Each structure stands twice: as structure tokens, then as C-alpha cells.
Amino acid sequence: MKKIAILFLTLALVPLFTFAQTTYTPSADNLAARKEFEEERFGIFIHWGIYSLFAQGEWYLNAGINEEEYAKSAEAFYPHRFNADEWAKAIKASGARYITFTSRHHDGFSMFHTDESAYNIVDGTPFGRDIAEELSKACERQGLNLHFYYSILDWRRNDYPVGRTGLRTGRQLKPDYNSYFNFMKRQIGELLSGRYGEVKALWFDGYWDHDADSVPFDWRMEELYDYIHTLRPACLIGNNHHITPLKGEDFQMFERDLPGENTAGLSGQEVSALPLEMCQTMNGMWGYKVSDQNYKSGTELIRLLIRAAGKGSNLLLNIGPQPDGSLPETALKRLKEIGAWMNVYGETIYGTQRGIIAETQHYTSTQNGKRLFLHVLDASSQTLSFKLPSGFKQARLFPQGTPAHVQFDKRNNQVTLTLPATTNSPDQVIEFILP
């Protein structure tokens, strides 16, 4: 009996041991895609769905709205001013290198043509056009990469095992995660089928819906990731779960905070060695909200982009299109302001990593090989002091500047930099050529 018990215990532990020993080894194409992603540094997030009709943000269904009544809004969704090429041109001109588009949000409505449900932009609205497909083609014409956001929680489907949100939508629950998981796999297969071009990344959201369960919920993410990497080895995977990256993920994201910061209470996790991305709104909401006109200034957004790059991170800056399909006027204005700055200073952002000059509240630094860029965001003090390797060849204003006044303390490689007169620019850049 004892031998049988030992044998049973041994067999029971085999799957656990095997699971613990498995590793994710990214393909060469995936590693190349990671490098490309890091070099891009700037992308635009698009939160858009039938929730824009209510003009109350993307979480409106969670406010106690009956899901059947909510779903009727699809029949009125006719974004007659949507023009994918206009979107792509405006975003390209901002200096952004990629777009992350909400293919499906928590309300379960698909902004692409899916065979899995008629609750989608083609079959469920009078508009009848595949917005995701039009956007993918416009991105290709403008040389922009396309990423898809995909919610793994659903406030309408009966088979989704309810977590801590979507509790008052009136649906008749028949939880069956195996059914729901397979539904997600089939939809993701559609997104990666080639209909939408080369999808460079998938951006998952909703994992946190089960973070308060008394028994840990098994999302089967590694199984889903394996499926994705089998279909498209180079497709990058990120998950907005607010925890340490899971096996199979290719980049780490931070919501409303720069890596290593946690002012919004969503990003206490450690910063990994994966490529990094932080996402932030232009105003206060992700989806369109008619009362939210509290837009950050162009200067604030440019400095956020600089600080992200100074931490070795991309910035994914959000826009919530209006129900008619147009981008808000203020958002377009901000894109132009960022684009004007990037036209001059883009090479201090693209392709750079965190610089060797430690960040302070006054400045940060980016670096591309031997080119080191000091970004002075607060020039209230005209004298800065920091350490640099001795023997650097040049210190000049960027771009096309005159040599900056630099003094050395040779005992500890301390550099004292005297700034020229301040300007109205969001940023003063000093370029150093390292030995």
C-alpha cells in the first residue's frame, strides 16, 4: 500500500514538475521584433467602440446598464466620418511609429469582422465595414506598425466566469471557461490570419478581473501564448495584468505610470529586462467622454515621451475617437505639437536606450551608441553637475548648437555644465560624444 501511495504521489507530481521546467525561448524573428519595438519608442493607443455613442468612456456598461439594452446601440453605430487614411496620416505626422487598436473591449463588441458572433462592426451595425481591416491597410500605406488590444474579460457573454467587474449587466450566467477560452483562441486566430496584415503585437487586458478570487483563477495564458507564438512566432505579447511578466510574454507594460513609478497604484511590479511600454491618456479617459476636455498640454506630453525614453521605455499615448469616427480636435492639435518637436529631436528618442546620466527631477538622458543626449526639462538652475566617463569628445547643444561650457573635476569625473539661456522649448538637449 505504501509503495502504491508513493507511486501515485510520484505520478501526480510529474505534470507539475514538467510544467515548472518548461521555458519560453523566443524565436530569432521574435527577438528581432522586440528590438524593432524598442527602437520605435512612440505609439498611439486607440480606444474606440460602440461605447463612444454614450460618450461616457469605455467602462459605461459596467455602471449597471443592462447588457441587452446596451447592445442595441450597435444598431445606431454609423461612424460616417471615419477615414483610416486620415487617422494614419495624422498619427504618422506626430512621429509615432505604431498604433495599438482596441479590437475588442470589455463590452465584448468586436471592432473587426468575426465569425464567432454577429456582435461585431460588420454584422451588427448599419456601418457594415471592417474598421480594423481598413486601419491595417492605412497603416501599411503610411509605414506604421499595427498592434491589437484584446480584452480577455467580457461583460456580456454568459460563459465568461464573472470576476470583480461587470456584476450588474443582467446576463444569465452559465460559466464555462473552456468554452470561453476556445472562443478567444478562435478570435485571436482571426486577427492573426493575415486579413489584417502583419500584426506586430497583441496587447491583452482584463487579467486583473480575477485578482481578488479566493482561489487563484487559471486563465491558461501560457497555453494561449503558445498558440499565438505557434501561429506567429514574431508577434509580440504583452499583458496589462499589473504583475511580474508571465512566461511567454515579450514586453512589459505599465498603466498610467513610467516604469519604476506607481503614482496611479497600478504599477508596483518590478521592472523586467523585457522591452518596456507605458500607456497614458491625453486627457483623463481612454474612451471618448464628452465632459472630459482636461487635455494635457503639448509640453507635458512631449516631456512624458522624453521621460519614458529616459527610462528605456516606449510611450503609448491614447486617443478616444468620437462616435462619428473623427479624432477629437484637441487630440489632433496635440499630435501636431508632438510631431513638430519630433521632427527636430526625434533622433534623441528613436533607437535610444536609457542614458548613463542618472535621472533627476530636472533632467533625464537617452543614449544611442556613443551619442549621449542630456534632456534638461527644468532649466531653473543653469548649472548642472553629474558624472561622466573622462575623455568624451564633444558637448554641444542639439541640434546644430555651439559648444556648451563644461568643466571637469578630474578626481571623480564630475562634470559641471553651464546651460545657455533658457528657451520656450519643452526640452533643452545637450549632446555628448562618449569615448
Side-chain angles (χ1 to χ4, degrees):
M1 187 70 179
K2 186 176 180 180
K3 290 182 179 179
I4 294 174
I6 291 173
L7 178 61
F8 177 82
L9 179 61
T10 302
L11 291 173
L13 289 175
V14 167
L16 296 177
F17 180 79
T18 304
F19 178 79
Q21 292 299 305
T22 59
T23 58
Y24 165 54
T25 303
S27 67
D29 288 343
N30 186 282
L31 294 174
R34 293 184 186 190
K35 186 175 186 298
E36 179 185 16
F37 175 71
E38 284 192 295
E39 291 177 347
E40 291 170 332
R41 283 293 173 246
F42 182 34
I44 294 296
F45 214 170
I46 300 288
H47 270 74
W48 196 35
I50 59 174
Y51 46 79
S52 67
L53 285 168
F54 301 97
Q56 297 299 316
E58 74 288 352
W59 273 54
Y60 185 59
L61 178 55
N62 189 59
I65 310 300
N66 180 275
E67 56 90 8
E68 290 185 356
E69 294 301 313
Y70 175 91
K72 292 177 182 177
S73 64
E75 299 175 8
F77 192 51
Y78 194 88
H80 62 283
R81 293 186 61 190
F82 170 69
N83 186 308
D85 283 308
E86 288 182 0
W87 280 23
K89 287 176 183 177
I91 290 169
K92 177 75 172 182
S94 76
R97 296 286 176 87
Y98 63 96
I99 293 174
T100 301
F101 180 71
T102 48
S103 67
R104 188 179 82 114
H105 209 270
H106 310 327
D107 64 355
F109 184 80
S110 298
M111 294 291 282
F112 65 100
H113 194 199
T114 174
D115 292 332
E116 294 304 310
S117 167
Y119 192 52
N120 70 75
I121 186 65
V122 175
D123 299 320
T125 76
F127 192 62
R129 288 159 45 188
D130 192 334
I131 283 173
E133 184 176 18
E134 292 182 24
L135 185 59
S136 71
K137 291 178 178 178
C139 284
E140 186 176 352
R141 286 189 283 269
Q142 292 299 319
L144 293 166
N145 285 333
L146 179 63
H147 304 180
F148 279 132
Y149 167 109
Y150 187 91
S151 172
I152 60 174
L153 75 86
D154 193 305
W155 290 331
R156 292 195 68 245
R157 283 184 64 96
N158 296 338
D159 57 356
Y160 172 73
V162 171
R164 61 177 170 86
T165 65
L167 304 179
R168 298 178 294 157
T169 65
R171 57 187 156 170
Q172 299 300 310
L173 293 175
K174 296 180 181 178
D176 182 348
Y177 190 64
N178 190 60
S179 167
Y180 182 72
F181 181 82
N182 288 325
F183 157 76
M184 289 197 298
K185 279 183 66 175
R186 291 191 296 269
Q187 279 211 318
I188 289 167
E190 291 174 327
L191 291 173
L192 300 181
S193 66
R195 183 194 305 170
Y196 304 103
E198 185 183 1
V199 178
K200 291 285 189 173
L202 290 174
W203 205 103
F204 290 109
D205 195 15
Y207 188 97
W208 36 260
D209 194 43
H210 282 280
D211 60 10
D213 291 7
S214 57
V215 178
F217 183 75
D218 183 9
W219 284 98
R220 295 163 58 185
M221 295 311 301
E222 291 181 21
E223 181 182 344
L224 187 61
Y225 296 167
D226 285 345
Y227 171 71
I228 293 165
H229 284 137
T230 298
L231 287 178
R232 299 281 181 173
C235 182
L236 303 182
I237 296 172
N239 197 322
N240 188 38
H241 43 44
H242 311 147
I243 58 176
T244 301
L246 304 174
K247 185 174 62 179
E249 294 173 5
D250 302 300
F251 66 100
Q252 184 181 16
M253 60 187 68
F254 298 83
E255 183 175 353
R256 293 189 183 274
D257 264 307
L258 293 164
E261 299 181 3
N262 193 23
T263 60
L266 300 171
S267 301
Q269 69 273 34
E270 292 185 6
V271 180
S272 75
L274 294 174
L276 307 176
E277 179 188 75
M278 75 88 65
C279 58
Q280 182 58 286
T281 54
M282 277 195 184
N283 45 6
M285 297 293 293
W286 300 101
Y288 177 69
K289 185 175 182 179
V290 67
S291 62
D292 183 12
Q293 297 301 312
N294 187 28
Y295 280 81
K296 300 169 184 67
S297 69
T299 293
E300 286 180 280
L301 296 175
I302 291 167
R303 288 176 175 172
L304 180 61
L305 173 59
I306 294 165
R307 291 187 63 220
K311 290 182 177 291
S313 172
N314 291 11
L315 170 64
L316 184 60
L317 186 61
N318 184 74
I319 299 174
Q322 298 171 151
D324 64 3
S326 62
L327 301 181
E329 183 178 343
T330 306
L332 289 171
K333 181 180 179 182
R334 294 294 182 268
L335 290 180
K336 289 180 180 179
E337 292 175 276
I338 297 170
W341 186 87
M342 289 290 276
N343 282 339
V344 178
Y345 295 98
E347 63 186 284
T348 73
I349 302 296
Y350 300 127
T352 63
Q353 297 295 327
R354 178 198 296 261
I356 61 174
I357 300 175
E359 180 184 25
T360 72
Q361 62 178 339
H362 298 291
Y363 55 78
T364 189
S365 65
T366 59
Q367 189 169 341
N368 190 341
K370 293 185 177 181
R371 299 180 73 190
L372 174 66
F373 304 102
L374 176 67
H375 295 263
V376 182
L377 306 177
D378 178 1
S380 56
S381 173
Q382 285 192 285
T383 302
L384 305 178
S385 185
F386 45 83
K387 288 185 178 181
L388 271 184
S390 60
F392 66 83
K393 299 177 182 178
Q394 190 179 50
R396 68 178 182 88
L397 283 173
F398 182 93
Q400 305 291 321
T402 55
H405 181 62
V406 178
Q407 296 177 329
F408 289 95
D409 180 344
K410 295 182 180 180
R411 290 172 297 179
N412 56 9
N413 296 335
Q414 196 77 11
V415 176
T416 300
L417 177 66
T418 302
L419 296 173
T422 59
T423 68
N424 292 325
S425 170
D427 176 30
Q428 278 190 306
V429 181
I430 311 297
E431 180 181 0
F432 299 91
I433 305 299
L434 299 177

